[in-house]
Amino acid sequence: MGIMSSPIIACMCLLYVINGMLNFYPAIAQNSLQTYIVHVLPAGEVLGQSQDLERWYHSFLPETTASLNEPSRMIRAYRTVVTGFAAKLSSEEVEEMEKKDGFVYARPQKVFSLHTTHSPNFLGLHRNIGTWPASNYGKGVIIGVLDTGISPGHVSFSDEGMPPPPAKWKGRCELNGISCNKKLIGARNFVRDTAFDNSSRHGTLTASTAAGNFVKNANAFSQAKGTASGIAPLAHLAVYKVCSDQTCAESDMLAAMDAAVEDGVDVLSLSIGAGSSPFYEEDGIAIGAFGAMQKGIFVSCAAGNGGPFNSSLSNEAPWILTVGASTIDRNIRATAILGNQDEYNGASIFLPRDFPSTLLPLIYPGTNGNETSAFCGPGSLDNIDVIGKIVLCERGGGVGRGDKGQTVKDAGGAAMILINQEADGYSTLADSIGIPAIHLSYDAGQKIKAYINSTMMPTATISFKGTVIGVKSAPMVASFSSRGPNLASPGILKPDIIGPGVSILAAWPFSLDNNTNTKVAFNIASGTSLSCPHLSGIAALVKSAHPDWSPAMIKSAIMTSASQCNLNRSLILDEKHQPADIYAIGAGHINPSRALDPGLVYDITTDDYIAYLCGLGYTEQQIAVITRRSINCHGSEFTGVPEAQLNYPSFSIKLGRTASKYSRTVTNVGDARSTYNLVLERIPGVDIVVQPTELIFTEVNRQMTYTIFFSRKEFTVNGSYVEGSIAWVSSKHIVRSPISVKLIV
């Protein structure tokens, strides 16, 4: 958020008391103030009572007199994941605040953005067999969802078959007289009056994806029919409303994370993010997640929808699981049929029974070179005759897919063919956009344009085929899924994992086809906002099966057990139908059954993370913002380590003429007596040596350390990235860690 342009108005002089010194300070007009996040550290013993802590926070604020009737400047007081507060302040007031004992850092708050019948089956989750019963369906685990709220009456949040919440639960229900239940055990609001979902319905989608109960006969427009459920159907849900329709204030998110940790959640799921920034600066999610991690809480976040462009990630901190998006093997298919008999398959969800099979006039409004019309932006078709015609619209241009459909509908168009930009390649989505429509690839779009230009009377129709199961190219990386490298910390490979995030069926507050039974309403949506709660649910399953595992152990289990192949048993592809690189898939695609029994795990302690932060070159003040304690990076307790030395389940290194050496420690969580042998996936131009090449365990929880050496074979290539992997293989397990190497001079 930038500094507001309203002038500072000196209304009157106030007697301003700082540490016993008398100062005169002008009152500030409320409309000239910004919300600042202020980080502080008690100079002596930590204040034990919340009221004492809040009273101390208030001592940092400008004193006001009752005669001014000025609203309280304090917006949020934090206690658990952050030591500090959010307050309305001017830049001059912050400068004065910096002089006070205990002050650490202050900055204007950041505003973040919001980034299932078949997907459980696609992931190998089946009732009464395999991973679900082995993990107790997530029973006893509490997933905290920070989002836009929830629609509590939806049948996905029924507590049929649910056990009572754990005794540790301390949360509350803020639903204006509607009670929570054994499924939805808590609902709190940090934005408006109640925790009910807002008009975006984003929170209802994500909560049901993570832990919705079993719902028979779920569908959207009679498609994707089946029994829907979340990934952890017997886990409990606690919902924290932190977002308006599209934006989420950092001060509210920190307050919600603070509350969730105190309430007793086990997993935090945030389908929210912003651009890359240092972890101490403008990244409240990273700071709050660090505090949650210290309390043993697993944090899963969306990678963002900035793909397919490199370095477009959100949520890059190593103590966060960063989740990209991929397809499942279900398509809701339609076919565009042209007047020249060419046919192109694509995705659709709006399937009217009475759509004519006869050919209709086809028009491309961008023919005249008007980009706004090509993207079917609002009002752009008002002066173009599209009545009764099928309109070809291009994806992108800052216009949402639903808005494009509405523009075509308002102008009298009969249907829409949506075509990809070149960057989006073959990645298509099934959307509910209120008009008969089909989404096609870039390649198909170029051929349709060529057809339109080849004839005086282009025509087309759309044949709606319905639900298709068993698409062998799945999983495929979605074009929108954000990519690495990691800008905030290049030595940590991100994203960590990919999971289902394309055309996912999830709970919706009302019926899409005017059905009056809104309790079983569902919609189909796409985004890393949907892949994130899939992984939050997986984390809950692992936590239920292994309640004593740390967040880092759970993350390691998820990453080292991931798959790199699709249903065709070939490498996972990206939106161009090329093998997806390491910055698109991270460790690979989630494999729940293997994550439950990973064999070996890489654990990381809080002190390990602090040494890593010292190694990033952060000042002790900047580290204190994250860790809530004073740190001396040059003392005996902490010594900075290179990023790639963190005991992470992957490697991301720079390699020049000097060889590099790193170590990793693995913990045996499989059979007591087990032997693991080294398997290397060779990296072009790089020599790798690992010592030892065999790990022999004789007991559970025993740790062993290995060292890995990297050196260059040749120096003809510079600035490029190459990749490979290292795996420890036993008779039962494959424990794989991906490796990214940037070749430098």
Side-chain angles (χ1 to χ4, degrees):
M1 180 186 292
I3 296 175
M4 303 181 90
S5 59
S6 301
I8 295 176
I9 302 172
C11 301
M12 59 188 300
C13 288
L14 298 178
L15 189 62
Y16 186 49
V17 183
I18 305 180
N19 293 338
M21 300 285 294
L22 296 180
N23 296 276
F24 287 100
Y25 201 80
I28 307 297
Q30 285 286 316
N31 63 356
S32 70
L33 305 178
Q34 296 186 78
T35 298
Y36 277 79
I37 307 295
V38 182
H39 297 268
V40 295
L41 282 181
E45 186 177 337
V46 177
L47 299 170
Q49 300 297 320
S50 59
Q51 58 266 33
D52 293 338
L53 191 63
E54 190 162 343
R55 190 179 303 117
W56 183 60
Y57 290 164
H58 273 281
S59 73
F60 286 86
L61 299 180
E63 294 287 343
T64 58
T65 61
S67 61
L68 284 175
N69 294 319
E70 184 179 358
S72 173
R73 298 286 196 88
M74 184 80 73
I75 296 173
R76 301 287 185 194
Y78 309 121
R79 175 178 175 81
T80 305
V81 299
V82 174
T83 302
F85 56 92
K88 292 282 189 180
L89 299 166
S90 70
S91 57
E92 292 85 355
E93 289 170 340
V94 172
E95 288 178 11
E96 287 297 318
M97 188 184 295
E98 291 172 358
K99 302 172 185 177
K100 305 197 76 175
D101 290 341
F103 175 87
V104 176
Y105 186 72
R107 57 174 172 76
Q109 77 166 348
K110 196 170 188 176
V111 176
F112 292 73
S113 59
L114 294 165
H115 275 324
T116 50
T117 48
H118 189 64
S119 59
N121 287 351
F122 175 66
L123 295 175
L125 300 174
H126 304 282
R127 297 179 84 164
N128 304 317
I129 187 172
T131 302
W132 259 348
S135 63
N136 301 310
Y137 300 86
K139 187 179 295 184
V141 177
I142 303 169
I143 302 177
V145 179
L146 274 65
D147 214 294
T148 62
I150 196 164
S151 302
H154 197 282
V155 70
S156 289
F157 309 122
S158 160
D159 65 356
E160 181 180 351
M162 289 292 302
K168 68 174 182 175
W169 177 244
K170 301 175 185 175
R172 58 181 187 258
C173 196
E174 299 173 349
L175 289 170
N176 274 9
I178 296 178
S179 298
C180 290
N181 59 25
K182 290 182 288 186
K183 165 58 74 176
L184 179 60
I185 62 174
R188 298 182 63 175
N189 170 58
F190 293 86
V191 181
R192 294 176 185 158
D193 294 336
T194 74
F196 281 101
D197 207 347
N198 62 29
S199 60
S200 74
R201 290 97 189 182
H202 194 266
T204 298
L205 289 168
T206 57
S208 66
T209 300
N213 211 331
F214 293 103
V215 180
K216 295 180 180 179
N217 300 315
N219 69 88
F221 289 113
S222 298
Q223 298 301 312
K225 289 182 180 179
T227 297
S229 80
I231 298 301
L234 294 187
H236 305 283
L237 279 168
V239 172
Y240 300 84
K241 183 174 181 177
V242 297
C243 302
S244 60
D245 287 349
Q246 295 296 330
T247 60
C248 318
E250 183 181 9
S251 57
D252 297 332
M253 288 197 301
L254 282 171
M257 295 176 86
D258 219 47
V261 172
E262 290 187 337
D263 289 346
V265 303
D266 300 296
V267 175
L268 278 173
S269 185
L270 290 86
S271 295
I272 299 167
S276 177
S277 61
F279 303 139
Y280 63 87
E281 181 181 275
E282 300 185 6
D283 196 346
I285 291 178
I287 295 168
F290 190 92
M293 174 276 301
Q294 288 180 295
K295 300 289 187 179
I297 296 165
F298 185 92
V299 183
S300 171
C301 293
N305 298 330
F309 308 106
N310 287 335
S311 297
S312 53
L313 289 167
S314 299
N315 303 313
E316 298 162 303
W319 48 87
I320 290 172
L321 183 75
T322 308
V323 186
S326 54
T327 63
I328 60 175
D329 68 333
R330 179 186 65 205
N331 276 354
I332 303 176
R333 189 170 294 172
T335 302
I337 304 170
L338 306 185
N340 63 0
Q341 303 304 308
D342 285 349
E343 297 186 4
Y344 302 99
N345 288 327
S348 178
I349 183 59
F350 189 69
L351 311 172
R353 295 183 179 89
D354 58 351
F355 192 79
S357 58
T358 55
L359 295 170
L360 299 175
L362 173 65
I363 184 171
Y364 173 52
T367 301
N368 59 6
N370 187 327
E371 278 197 358
T372 304
S373 298
F375 292 120
C376 297
S380 65
L381 305 182
D382 291 350
N383 297 318
I384 301 174
D385 179 16
V386 301
I387 296 175
K389 299 177 182 179
I390 296 178
V391 183
L392 186 72
C393 298
E394 299 203 26
R395 185 176 180 179
V399 184
R401 297 183 296 276
D403 293 332
K404 296 175 191 290
Q406 190 63 48
T407 298
V408 173
K409 186 176 182 179
D410 291 344
M416 178 176 74
I417 296 175
L418 178 65
I419 59 173
N420 276 345
Q421 296 288 293
E422 184 174 8
D424 293 308
Y426 294 91
S427 184
T428 59
L429 317 172
D431 274 332
S432 170
I433 55 178
I435 188 174
I438 182 174
H439 186 182
L440 296 176
S441 68
Y442 171 76
D443 180 64
Q446 296 306 108
K447 292 174 179 176
I448 293 173
K449 284 183 183 179
Y451 162 68
I452 291 173
N453 291 331
S454 72
T455 177
M456 295 292 293
M457 298 183 62
T459 57
T461 189
I462 301 173
S463 174
F464 296 98
K465 303 294 179 65
T467 304
V468 177
I469 302 290
V471 179
K472 295 297 184 182
S473 60
M476 184 177 87
V477 181
S479 66
F480 58 76
S481 186
S482 288
R483 315 295 161 96
N486 184 340
L487 293 179
S489 182
I492 300 297
L493 179 63
K494 293 282 182 170
D496 292 308
I497 197 82
I498 57 172
V502 176
S503 303
I504 303 300
L505 189 81
W508 196 244
F510 55 84
S511 173
L512 298 177
D513 54 3
N514 298 318
N515 189 313
T516 57
N517 187 2
T518 59
K519 288 189 176 183
V520 291
F522 286 81
N523 199 354
I524 285 182
S526 300
T528 55
S529 283
L530 278 301
S531 53
C532 168
H534 274 85
L535 269 295
S536 303
I538 298 296
L541 297 180
V542 178
K543 180 72 173 178
S544 182
H546 305 285
D548 58 334
W549 282 11
S550 70
M553 294 169 75
I554 295 173
K555 176 193 274 195
S556 173
I558 287 171
M559 291 175 62
T560 61
S561 62
S563 172
Q564 296 75 48
C565 295
N566 59 25
L567 296 183
N568 269 329
R569 298 185 179 180
S570 59
L571 291 175
I572 292 172
L573 303 179
D574 65 13
E575 69 286 340
K576 297 291 184 67
H577 284 177
Q578 299 297 315
D581 67 30
I582 203 167
Y583 292 118
I585 67 171
H589 188 268
I590 180 61
N591 186 325
S593 63
R594 288 181 55 193
L596 215 62
D597 180 22
L600 305 176
V601 292
Y602 296 79
D603 200 6
I604 307 174
T605 67
T606 297
D607 284 356
D608 293 333
Y609 285 123
I610 292 173
Y612 154 82
L613 291 171
C614 288
L616 284 178
Y618 286 2
T619 67
E620 291 169 8
Q621 179 193 47
Q622 292 164 348
I623 294 174
V625 169
I626 300 168
T627 62
R628 304 169 62 232
R629 58 192 268 203
S630 296
I631 299 296
N632 181 0
C633 289
H634 305 288
S636 58
E637 186 178 5
F638 295 107
T639 302
V641 299
E643 297 167 87
Q645 181 57 34
L646 185 68
N647 201 44
Y648 211 67
S650 60
F651 294 85
S652 178
I653 70 167
K654 293 179 181 178
L655 187 61
R657 295 183 179 275
T658 303
S660 298
K661 178 180 77 170
Y662 304 96
S663 63
R664 290 288 191 272
T665 298
V666 291
T667 303
N668 180 27
V669 294
D671 294 337
R673 294 187 175 276
S674 52
T675 299
Y676 291 81
N677 292 294
L678 175 71
V679 175
L680 276 176
E681 179 190 348
R682 297 296 177 184
I683 300 179
V686 177
D687 272 328
I688 300 177
V689 175
V690 179
Q691 296 175 345
T693 58
E694 186 179 64
L695 303 177
I696 301 174
F697 294 93
T698 57
E699 56 187 283
V700 176
N701 293 325
R702 185 185 173 192
Q703 294 186 329
M704 294 191 71
T705 297
Y706 66 89
T707 303
I708 182 167
F709 301 84
F710 297 93
S711 59
R712 292 277 292 272
K713 289 180 179 179
E714 45 78 23
F715 295 90
T716 57
V717 179
N718 185 54
S720 62
Y721 292 88
V722 290
E723 63 183 73
S725 68
I726 178 176
W728 294 102
V729 180
S730 74
S731 59
K732 293 177 61 176
H733 301 100
I734 299 174
V735 185
R736 180 183 181 273
S737 293
I739 301 171
S740 168
V741 180
K742 182 179 182 181
L743 303 177
I744 60 174
V745 174

